[in-house]
Amino acid sequence: MVASGESEVGTPVIDDTERRRVQRRTLTVVVASQILGGAGLAAGITVGALLAKDMLGTDGLAGVPTALFTLGSALAAFLVGRITAGRGRRTGLALGFGAGGVGAIGVVVAAATDSVPLLLVSLFVYGAGTATNLQARYAGTDLAPAAGRGTAVSVAMVATTLGAVAGPNLVEPLGEWAVQLGLPALSGPFLLAAAAYLAAGTVLFALLRPDPYLLARRLESAEYTAVATDAAPPPGVGAYVGAAVMVLTQIAMVAIMTMTPVHMRAHGHGLGEIGLVIGVHVGAMYLPSLVTGVLVDKVGRLPMAAAAGVTLLLAGVTAAVAPADSLTLLIVALALLGLGWNFGLISGTALVVDATVPLNRPRTQGSIDVLIALAGAGGGALSGVVMSATDYATLALGGGVLALLLVPVLFRARR
C-alpha cells in the first residue's frame, strides 16, 4: 500500500493547481513544436507526388511518395508509442521528429542526384515526422480532465495550422531558392521540412519537462493504489470505434488530396495555384480545431464523427463535379475535405483517450496510429492507380462514398 499523498515511487502527488500549471506548460511546448511540425509535413503533401512523377516518369506512380512516407509513419507511430511507454513523450517525440528531418534531407539529396532508390528510402524515413506530428496531439491530453480532452487535442492541432498553411504557399519561393542553390525546384519545400522537423524535435526534448505522460502515470498509480502490477488492462470498446473513425477518414482524405496536385497540373494550373489549394486544405484540417474540440466535448464524440462522414461525402461530390479549370470549386472541395478529416480525427482521438488509462494509453495510441498510417498508405498508393484507370472525378466520388461507412459503424456503437 502506498502512503496517502505519495506515488508508488515515493514522488509527492501534485495538487490540482500544480497539475493545471503543468498542463498549461505542456500545451505551450506542444504548440511550439506543432507550428514547426506543420511546416515539415506540408512538403510531402504539396510536392511529393509531383516530384515522384518527374523522377519516375508516370502518373500511375505519383501516389508512391504518399504511400511511402505514410508507411514510414506507420513504423514510426509504432516505435514512438513503445518509446513513450518506457521513456515518456519527450524522448519519443524528439526522436520521431529527428528521424523526419533526416528523411527530408535525404529527399533533397535524392532529387539533386536523380537517385530514385534514395528518394524512396528517404520518403519512408521522412514519414516519421508525419507520425510524430500526429502523436504530439496526445501529449496535450495526458493531464487534461476528461471533460476537456477534445479541447486539449484541438489546441495541439490548431497550432499545426500556422506552419502547415505557410508551407504550401511557400512552394514557389522555396523552389526559386532551391534553383539558386543548384537544386531541383521541387526539392525546395523539403529543405524547409528538414529544418522544421529538426527544430521541433529540439524544442520538445529541451522543454517538455516534466514529461506529461510519466507524470500522469505516476498520478494514476497514486490514485489507484490497489493496482500493483505493470500489466496493462485492455482498452475499452471506444478505442476500437475511435480507430475505425480515424482510419476511414484518413483513407478518404489521403486518396483525394494526393491526386489533386497531379490533376491540377495536368490541366494547366501552376505551382502557386496548387500551393494555394493545398494550403487551404491543410488550413481546414487544423484551423477549425478549437471549435471542433469544444463541439466534441459538448455535443459528443459520436455526433461529430458522423458529421465527419457527411462532410467528406460533400467534399468528394464537390471535387467530382468541379470543372478542371475552376480554382474556386477545387478550393471549396479541398477545404471540405480537410474539415471532414478534422472532425474525424478529433472525435476519434477523444474516443481513444476516453477508453484508455495511462498504463495502456501510449501503446494503444501508437498501434491505432499505425492503422491510420497504413490506411493512408493504401489510399495514397491506390489513388494513382484509380486515377490512371478512370479519372479524378471517379476517385473523388469514391473517396466520399467510402467515408459514409462511418454511419453504420457509429450506429452500431451508439446501440
Side-chain angles (χ1 to χ4, degrees), residues 2 47 49 72 104-105 128 132 142 150 175 261 267 294 343 356 379 398:
V2 179
V47 300
I105 293 172
T132 308
D142 286 325
H267 289 86
V294 173
F343 289 169
T356 55

Side-chain angles (χ1 to χ4, degrees), residues 326-346:
S326 176
L327 183 63
T328 300
L329 281 180
L330 286 172
I331 288 174
V332 171
L334 270 290
L336 287 170
L337 188 69
L339 183 62
W341 179 86
N342 177 271
F343 289 169
L345 188 74
I346 294 181

Side-chain angles (χ1 to χ4, degrees), residues 1 28 31 38 40 54 74 77 86 126 133 136 139 162 170 172 212 258 277 291 303-304 310 355 357 385 404:
M1 182 70 70
T28 299
V31 163
D54 286 355
Y126 166 78
N133 200 73
L162 297 177
L170 291 173
E172 280 192 307
T258 299
V277 170
V291 175
M304 290 305 297
V310 174
V357 295
V385 176
L404 281 186

Side-chain angles (χ1 to χ4, degrees), residues 83-154:
I83 293 170
T84 298
R87 304 289 298 276
R89 299 279 184 202
R90 174 173 160 265
T91 302
L93 296 176
L95 289 174
F97 273 129
V102 171
I105 293 172
V107 172
V108 173
V109 175
T113 60
D114 198 28
S115 173
V116 172
L118 180 59
L119 173 70
L120 301 181
V121 172
S122 298
L123 285 169
F124 182 83
V125 178
Y126 166 78
T130 304
T132 308
N133 200 73
L134 275 178
Q135 286 266 314
R137 75 192 189 277
Y138 289 121
T141 68
D142 286 325
L143 296 171
R149 285 168 178 160
T151 303
V153 174
S154 69

Side-chain angles (χ1 to χ4, degrees), residues 2-13:
V2 179
S4 176
E6 293 188 349
S7 75
E8 58 187 331
V9 294
T11 303
V13 178

